[in-house]
Amino acid sequence: MIRVKTIHIEEFRGIRNLDLELNAKSFGICGPNGTGKSGVVDAIEFCLTGDITRLSGEGSLGLSVKAHAPHVDQHSHPEKASVTITAEIPSLGKFVKIHRTVKNPRKFEIIPNDSDVNAAIKELQTHPEFALSRREIIKYIITPPGKRSEEVQTLLRLDHLEKLRKTLTTFSNKQRDEAEEAGRALSLSEAELKNAFQIDELTDTLLLKKVNENRAILGLQTLSELSKDTSFKTGLIETPGGPKKPLLKKVEALADLSALHSAISKDEPSNLVKNRQLAKTALEKLKSDEKVLMLARQQGFIKMGLDLITENNCPLCDTEWDADKLREHLRKKLLSAKEIEELMGQLQDNIKELLQPLSERIQAIERAIKYSQSLRPPIEKTELSNYLIELKKMETELTNFLKNRTQVNTAIEVVSNSWWLPKTEQNNQIEKCLKAVKDLPDTSTEDKAKDILIVAQERYEKLLSNKTTSDKKKVCKLVAQDVLDHYNKSRTSVLEGIYDKVTEDFINYYRVINSDDEQKFIGKLTSEPAKLSFDVDFYGRGLFPPGAYHSEGHQDGMGLCLYLALMKHTLEDKFTFAVLDDVLMSIDTGHRRDVCRLLNSEFPNTQFILTTHDRVWLQYMKTEGLINQSRSFGGWTVDTGPRVWNDEDIWTEIQSELDKNDVSKAAWLLRRYLEFSANILADNLRAKIEFRGDGHYDLGDLLPNVLKGWKTWLLKGEKSAEFWNREKEKESLTKKRATAKELIAKASIEQWAINPSVHFNEWANLQRHEFQEVVDAFRNLLEHMRCQNSLCKSHLHILPRKSEAELMCCNCGETSINLKTSK
Amino acid sequence: MGKDPNSSVSPTVSQVIDQFILAMREDDGIENQSIDRLEEILRKDSVPKANEVSAALFDPSKDGEA
């Protein structure tokens, strides 16, 4: 992993030309929506990986890096869109420069082009998770267990294990299918052997009896047992060079055709009728609700939906609903989804029962066609061939339905019509063929017995071979299932160990960011072969999925904590870089400082690049020492890209507008900056603000109370210095308080605070020199409230955050005013 | 993280394979030779295909043996 020192972006996304200096330290980017913050995130991801998740991930249909990464005015000049990053690679102790253009996203220039540097950058490419947006963070939390398993395993670099599970599952399924196929082949060969002796059942005793009856006719020795080496023809003399072998053995053809004729002379067997009817009923049930198949597949989704119904409105679009009614509706759906699953299992069994006799009929018709063509003259076979085509089509359609379960109508058509009785023309051809075979000259009883034994021997050998194959396939099926089971158990056992460690870190992190109300919080990651369940405690009431009861803000917090725990486990001390793109937008202000502390204390060696649209949040990052550098984005236009400034630059910018005599613009900038500062100072100084339920405070609500608080804290500092007999400090604070009064008076706060909206309008109407005085007054006032160390310049803040104030201090520690007046 | 993610399986994957092989060796229904062949392909960088697993477990050259 790396730490970024500088970023140079040209003609990329909404940015025309931008340079950022990060100095390998954590960095904040702040600006309203649509000002180009995420363009910087995209640029970092693109330069390091060649990809932009926003343009290539889920929901990006029709978008591509090459077409849409360049600035809109350069969309046909991808060569002009480029990003250059300089960075250090701590593990190698090297510096690197990486340059990539959109024209060749897969290629990048790298200096130095060393193999270890290349390996480090390629490693980054395999794990784009260093850049995390809110949309991505939620995928670890609000996601079905199966999907979460994939996401988490990808992040943990365990996708190899998931791929291996899929391979072994495919292997096991294939062995199961082959075993079933071999079983069907065995049944067909059993039917053939039964036909040869014209018997209805196949037992060793009956088979041996029939063999010996024919052998007796030929005066051959009785066989006493049946084994795999048994030859029905033992002792039979087949004259070498005897009469030419006939094209058709009457006895064989007669047996097969008689069996076929006998079958089609009877009604369809009741078992077949029953299975067809059951299959038809099940298929029609599926068809009756056209979405029912989808429903079966959506079971996990419905379960998640049930978990998410906590309020009387949709968490996404706020549409109102009756939570109880909706839950009942989903429960019914869930129930029917389970029923459908059972139905599908039963349907599969019914169809398999249909496939066996269908295969036997196909084989019988193939033989009939063969016999019809062996006769002289041959019997017309067109109708039989058509019948064979129909039967094979049905077999294919049923098999296909078992595979993908989509062609319900086709499957209904197949099972609705009985194929058992051939059409009249087809029947006529079978009868004609049978008659022609019967009309063949009779052979002697001895020759007949001889032919039966020869045919039966062929079929017996085929049966034995199919039995061997079937037995072997059964063993393979069992072994494959055992192998898959062993793998799943081993994987689950190892992953549980990993997830236990990740869970432990996750819980600790979550407790840190919710130190006020979640100290007893627990969570649990449960690994199963194809899913990863995630449940968290809800205030001691039990474990539930995160989306069940926790607020969006808490879910965001959980997402971040799980992400950090996973990254720590994956990269350990190489977790040196992460981009968090507005990931904490719904975390409430009370917990944001805790998030900063968590990142600071647990990941001191990680460079975080954080974007936010909330300036107060940015200030927290600074106050808590998470970042000491930032840039503010604003005033984006398609022609110029984002306008970027830091806190210091704002005065330069206001002055620049004044120099151009644009008082209105300067007034607007000053107002925005004062609003920003007043929010931060109100929080830092624990200002006493009149509470408002909507949480919206304007400048008039905040600034007078901030300044009042400021003077109060200075006075308290004076009293404290007096208590502790620190005369020099007291003198200094008295002077500072007098200066504060003077500066506040100059800014005429009390006057405009009564009616701030009028005041702002008045500002815009001031002459340039008049407004210059206002600007100078506020600049001096705000400067007065910062640490005077030019390297710090942070806003002062009160410690602790709650209970009795003890200290007013800056970030660097140079300014530290004791507020305690008792020991 | 391994030095080169493309050159060897991760320690976690290795750990799962170790445990998996051990479990198979304790299973009387699976031949040791089959397990040896399977282990060889599992330790490689890439995930084996289903037919490679099949060949390893049911060595086609030994037709008739499971």
Side-chain angles (χ1 to χ4, degrees):
Chain A
M1 275 281 196
I2 60 166
R3 282 201 196 100
V4 174
K5 290 174 74 66
T6 65
I7 306 170
H8 174 71
I9 306 169
E10 279 185 38
E11 303 293 356
F12 187 89
R13 304 291 285 154
I15 298 169
R16 303 308 301 252
N17 192 312
L18 177 68
D19 284 291
L20 294 173
E21 284 199 28
L22 291 76
N23 299 316
K25 290 179 180 165
S26 290
F27 191 86
I29 298 172
C30 181
N33 290 332
T35 51
K37 299 186 302 294
S38 294
V40 176
V41 175
D42 291 344
I44 295 170
E45 186 188 357
F46 172 73
C47 188
L48 299 179
T49 69
D51 195 17
I52 303 173
T53 311
R54 200 192 308 269
L55 296 180
S56 60
E58 282 179 30
S60 59
L61 201 64
L63 302 179
S64 72
V65 172
K66 211 158 187 174
H68 304 104
H71 185 273
V72 65
D73 290 345
Q74 301 290 357
H75 73 275
S76 52
H77 298 286
E79 73 283 359
K80 291 188 179 174
S82 69
V83 185
T84 308
I85 284 178
T86 61
E88 62 182 37
I89 306 175
S91 60
L92 301 178
K94 290 186 176 181
F95 291 93
V96 61
K97 182 178 177 183
I98 311 154
H99 176 76
R100 205 185 288 259
T101 71
V102 175
K103 190 177 181 186
N104 285 310
R106 297 288 149 217
K107 284 188 178 176
F108 59 95
E109 294 166 26
I110 189 164
I111 302 170
N113 197 6
D114 299 345
S115 58
D116 52 356
V117 172
N118 262 293
I121 302 304
K122 279 181 182 164
E123 188 177 39
L124 265 173
Q125 290 177 1
T126 63
H127 271 272
E129 298 90 4
F130 63 78
L132 188 75
S133 68
R134 182 170 188 268
R135 189 172 64 163
E136 286 152 343
I137 212 164
I138 280 300
K139 74 187 175 188
Y140 300 114
I141 303 297
I142 307 293
T143 190
K147 185 76 180 156
R148 180 186 296 118
S149 177
E150 284 184 22
E151 301 284 5
V152 168
Q153 290 194 28
T154 301
L155 196 146
L156 284 173
R157 310 192 64 184
L158 299 179
D159 36 341
H160 186 106
L161 291 180
E162 180 58 15
K163 286 179 190 164
L164 189 51
R165 185 191 69 78
K166 286 180 177 167
T167 290
L168 292 176
T169 304
T170 305
F171 159 69
S172 176
N173 289 343
K174 192 163 173 267
Q175 295 305 320
R176 183 201 59 206
D177 291 346
E178 285 181 7
E180 284 178 1
E181 182 61 36
R184 276 199 291 276
L186 176 61
S187 296
L188 286 177
S189 52
E190 284 171 352
E192 282 182 321
L193 187 56
K194 282 192 280 187
N195 281 350
F197 286 116
Q198 295 189 305
I199 52 179
D200 292 330
E201 57 175 338
L202 198 62
T203 63
D204 284 1
T205 313
L206 186 56
L207 189 57
L208 203 55
K209 184 183 166 204
K210 287 287 174 187
V211 170
N212 282 330
E213 278 174 10
N214 286 284
R215 286 179 64 84
I217 292 169
L218 296 169
L220 297 173
Q221 201 176 0
T222 302
L223 299 177
S224 58
E225 61 173 7
L226 213 53
S227 74
K228 68 183 173 69
D229 300 319
T230 303
S231 171
F232 303 161
K233 301 186 290 181
T234 301
L236 188 71
I237 300 163
E238 293 180 81
T239 320
K244 196 179 172 186
K245 203 175 176 183
L247 282 172
L248 181 147
K249 283 194 181 79
K250 180 177 178 181
V251 65
E252 178 190 16
L254 197 56
D256 287 337
L257 289 168
S258 298
L260 174 61
H261 187 257
S262 167
I264 61 177
S265 304
K266 294 175 196 157
D267 286 338
E268 184 179 8
S270 58
N271 192 38
L272 190 55
V273 176
K274 185 181 160 195
N275 276 312
R276 267 197 317 109
Q277 194 53 51
L278 287 171
K280 189 183 171 194
T281 308
L283 285 163
E284 281 175 344
K285 197 168 177 184
L286 288 181
K287 193 188 169 189
S288 68
D289 181 348
E290 59 184 17
K291 290 181 182 169
V292 86
L293 271 174
M294 187 65 81
L295 197 64
R297 290 172 186 154
Q298 287 174 346
Q299 201 175 355
F301 183 66
I302 297 168
K303 277 182 185 167
M304 188 176 74
L306 265 172
D307 292 338
L308 287 174
I309 305 169
T310 55
E311 306 286 343
N312 277 330
N313 56 340
C314 171
L316 297 178
C317 65
D318 296 327
T319 303
E320 286 192 12
W321 60 37
D322 182 325
D324 290 335
K325 276 188 182 172
L326 186 57
R327 268 192 216 104
E328 191 51 36
H329 174 71
L330 288 184
R331 280 197 189 102
K332 276 182 189 165
K333 276 199 161 194
L334 198 57
L335 191 66
S336 54
K338 275 183 186 167
E339 282 173 3
I340 293 305
E341 248 183 16
E342 287 168 15
L343 185 73
M344 292 303 292
Q346 186 58 48
L347 178 59
Q348 188 162 316
D349 291 343
N350 295 142
I351 290 179
K352 281 180 182 172
E353 290 291 325
L354 294 178
L355 279 170
Q356 182 62 40
L358 187 56
S359 300
E360 286 175 17
R361 176 59 57 87
I362 286 170
Q363 184 173 271
I365 298 300
E366 280 174 339
R367 284 185 179 279
I369 291 172
K370 188 184 98 181
Y371 298 141
S372 70
Q373 298 310 294
S374 302
L375 288 161
R376 291 293 173 263
I379 304 287
E380 171 58 40
K381 64 167 184 175
T382 311
E383 290 300 330
L384 280 183
S385 296
N386 289 341
Y387 185 36
L388 184 64
I389 289 167
E390 282 171 34
L391 293 172
K392 283 190 169 176
K393 186 167 172 259
M394 289 178 194
E395 186 186 43
T396 305
E397 283 167 349
L398 288 181
T399 310
N400 286 346
F401 179 79
L402 287 182
K403 282 180 188 162
N404 59 35
R405 302 176 178 185
T406 53
Q407 302 295 323
V408 180
N409 282 332
T410 311
I412 289 177
E413 205 177 314
V414 173
V415 300
S416 295
N417 303 307
S418 174
W419 46 264
W420 186 260
L421 299 176
K423 290 176 191 163
T424 312
E425 300 78 13
Q426 294 161 351
N427 202 21
N428 289 344
Q429 285 191 348
I430 293 168
E431 284 181 349
K432 204 171 173 185
C433 189
L434 177 60
K435 184 174 180 304
V437 170
K438 278 181 179 169
D439 289 346
L440 287 173
D442 277 334
T443 50
S444 65
T445 310
E446 287 78 10
D447 284 344
K448 194 175 167 187
K450 191 174 165 185
D451 283 347
I452 287 175
L453 287 177
I454 290 168
V455 169
Q457 180 64 36
E458 277 173 16
R459 295 185 180 187
Y460 181 63
E461 284 170 9
K462 189 176 170 187
L463 173 71
L464 290 178
S465 167
N466 283 348
K467 173 119 183 32
T468 304
T469 305
S470 176
D471 289 346
K472 182 185 163 190
K473 291 292 177 190
K474 271 186 198 166
V475 173
C476 289
K477 178 182 125 179
L478 292 175
V479 168
Q481 186 57 51
D482 282 349
V483 166
L484 178 63
D485 289 346
H486 288 315
Y487 175 77
N488 281 336
K489 278 181 194 160
S490 305
R491 194 186 76 139
T492 300
S493 158
V494 171
L495 291 187
E496 271 175 358
I498 291 172
Y499 292 144
D500 283 349
K501 285 181 194 159
V502 169
T503 305
E504 193 180 325
D505 284 334
F506 162 73
I507 292 170
N508 288 338
Y509 298 163
Y510 191 71
R511 285 178 179 173
V512 169
I513 67 168
N514 294 280
S515 53
D516 54 344
D517 62 349
E518 292 265 33
Q519 277 312 296
K520 290 182 179 173
F521 174 83
I522 53 167
K524 192 169 173 57
L525 282 164
T526 312
S527 171
E528 290 173 50
K531 62 182 186 178
L532 178 64
S533 298
F534 182 38
D535 293 299
V536 291
D537 169 62
F538 187 72
Y539 297 101
R541 303 296 202 278
L543 291 170
F544 304 94
Y549 298 112
H550 280 92
S551 69
E552 204 174 69
H554 282 89
Q555 288 170 30
D556 274 10
M558 282 179 209
L560 177 68
C561 292
L562 184 56
Y563 166 79
L564 291 170
L566 291 166
M567 289 300 269
K568 182 187 167 189
H569 182 86
T570 309
L571 299 172
E572 296 174 341
D573 58 349
K574 290 186 179 178
F575 182 34
T576 63
F577 176 64
V579 183
L580 304 181
D581 185 15
D582 228 355
V583 294
L584 302 174
M585 65 181 191
S586 55
I587 288 188
D588 58 275
T589 50
H591 292 133
R592 289 178 181 178
R593 286 182 186 276
D594 296 322
V595 170
C596 294
R597 284 179 201 139
L598 170 73
L599 298 179
N600 247 343
S601 59
E602 296 290 333
F603 303 94
N605 299 319
T606 304
Q607 178 191 31
F608 289 103
I609 297 175
L610 304 111
T611 72
T612 176
H613 57 266
D614 186 338
R615 278 176 166 262
V616 178
W617 185 196
L618 180 77
Q619 188 56 36
Y620 284 168
M621 294 178 204
K622 288 184 178 173
T623 309
E624 294 297 330
L626 176 61
I627 60 169
N628 53 22
Q629 325 161 79
S630 68
R631 288 292 178 274
S632 296
F633 281 35
W636 180 90
T637 68
V638 70
D639 292 321
T640 63
R643 190 192 60 203
V644 181
W645 76 81
N646 62 25
D647 285 356
E648 302 303 315
D649 290 341
I650 187 69
W651 299 110
T652 313
E653 193 166 356
I654 292 171
Q655 193 58 51
S656 160
E657 298 301 336
L658 269 181
D659 291 346
K660 287 188 275 181
N661 209 17
D662 191 344
V663 176
S664 175
K665 180 78 181 291
W668 181 84
L669 283 169
L670 179 60
R671 175 184 168 173
R672 292 285 171 226
Y673 186 62
L674 288 177
E675 284 169 346
F676 159 62
S677 299
N679 266 288
I680 294 161
L681 286 167
D683 188 74
N684 277 13
L685 300 176
R686 294 168 52 176
K688 290 175 180 165
I689 312 292
E690 195 172 309
F691 176 76
R692 294 181 60 168
D694 62 6
H696 289 294
Y697 300 96
D698 63 30
L699 202 51
D701 296 321
L702 298 177
L703 199 51
N705 293 308
V706 164
L707 296 171
K708 195 174 168 186
W710 173 247
K711 286 186 288 185
T712 305
W713 292 126
L714 289 175
L715 180 62
K716 206 163 172 25
E718 276 179 64
K719 285 182 180 170
S720 171
E722 187 177 7
F723 178 82
W724 298 102
N725 294 320
R726 301 175 76 157
E727 280 306 315
K728 218 173 173 181
E729 199 173 312
K730 187 195 168 206
E731 199 181 312
S732 162
L733 286 169
T734 306
K735 217 181 268 180
K736 194 167 178 71
R737 194 158 61 89
T739 308
K741 279 185 181 173
E742 194 183 319
L743 291 171
I744 291 166
K746 272 191 182 173
S748 307
I749 305 292
E750 285 82 1
Q751 187 188 337
W752 62 258
I754 298 164
N755 193 343
S757 59
V758 172
H759 184 83
F760 288 128
N761 290 336
E762 283 176 355
W763 273 2
N765 294 328
L766 291 177
Q767 294 296 309
R768 178 183 156 189
H769 71 277
E770 291 171 325
F771 190 65
Q772 183 73 58
E773 284 179 27
V774 175
V775 171
D776 292 344
F778 277 107
R779 182 175 188 171
N780 292 335
L781 175 61
L782 294 178
E783 179 68 15
H784 161 77
M785 297 171 79
R786 286 177 183 268
C787 171
Q788 298 306 302
N789 180 344
S790 60
L791 296 174
C792 177
K793 287 287 174 189
S794 63
H795 292 100
L796 301 194
H797 57 276
I798 303 297
L799 290 177
R801 294 278 308 146
K802 287 182 179 176
S803 71
E804 193 180 346
E806 294 177 5
L807 197 66
M808 182 159 71
C809 60
C810 67
N811 289 348
C812 75
E814 185 168 309
T815 307
S816 178
I817 301 168
N818 190 359
L819 303 173
K820 287 174 77 174
T821 50
S822 63
K823 290 182 182 176
Chain B
M1 189 180 283
K3 280 181 184 172
D4 182 350
N6 297 317
S7 69
S8 62
V9 293
S10 75
T12 309
V13 173
S14 238
Q15 202 184 335
V16 171
I17 293 172
D18 289 346
Q19 206 159 313
F20 175 39
I21 296 295
L22 190 66
M24 284 198 293
R25 293 212 187 277
E26 285 171 2
D27 186 333
D28 294 338
I30 310 170
E31 288 181 0
N32 269 330
Q33 284 179 327
S34 302
I35 300 169
D36 291 342
R37 288 192 297 266
L38 182 61
E39 184 173 8
E40 195 180 322
I41 60 169
L42 290 177
R43 302 274 183 204
K44 288 182 181 169
D45 302 342
S46 57
V47 176
K49 294 196 166 36
N51 59 349
E52 292 170 323
V53 173
S54 184
L57 281 171
F58 315 127
D59 185 9
S61 64
K62 297 184 178 181
D63 195 31
E65 290 178 26

